[in-house]
Amino acid sequence: MPFTQTVTPEDEYILITGDGSILSAEELLAWSVSTVREAQDHAHTRLLVDNRTLTVELTPHEVMVASDQLFEMEIQAKGLRFAVVSCEKTRDMSRFIETTFTNRSASYKRFDSLEDALNWLLA
């Protein structure tokens, strides 16, 4: 099943709820670009991403390919802050994505609960 996103603008952040599966570097890139576009469209820099029902089934190489393409677009320079609650089934891949994005200077952190993610995001 492809992925979907629901966007809910809040006063201090945007809530993005993902569902489905990301199965390729191209899909991860599309998800990321869409997320960045939503932030820009709503003039927000803080994103609370609820991906508890979105699985990410990629190889480390696919994550690296997608992240390289993202950072060629200079998303780290946009000042975005991502607090991501990941799917329990793909927790290890979510940690790898966090490490990869953080190593490229993105403000990106994964969490196991929405409460923890929101507290970090608004701190």
Side-chain angles (χ1 to χ4, degrees), residues 51-119:
N51 281 347
R52 291 177 292 176
T53 60
L54 177 75
T55 59
V56 180
E57 300 175 31
L58 303 175
T59 66
H61 176 73
E62 289 171 315
V63 172
M64 299 295 285
V65 166
S67 66
D68 286 347
Q69 291 174 351
L70 279 171
F71 289 94
E72 285 174 12
M73 294 189 256
E74 299 184 354
I75 68 158
Q76 72 278 16
K78 299 184 187 316
L80 301 176
R81 186 172 169 115
F82 295 86
V84 180
V85 182
S86 59
C87 176
E88 188 173 324
K89 288 189 243 177
T90 57
R91 182 178 290 155
D92 289 341
M93 178 51 63
S94 296
R95 286 186 179 133
F96 183 76
I97 292 169
E98 175 185 31
T99 300
T100 303
F101 283 22
T102 302
N103 286 346
R104 285 167 172 73
S105 301
S107 181
Y108 184 105
K109 189 158 173 67
R110 66 154 302 280
F111 297 89
D112 292 324
S113 76
L114 280 174
E115 181 180 356
D116 290 344
L118 187 57
N119 287 338

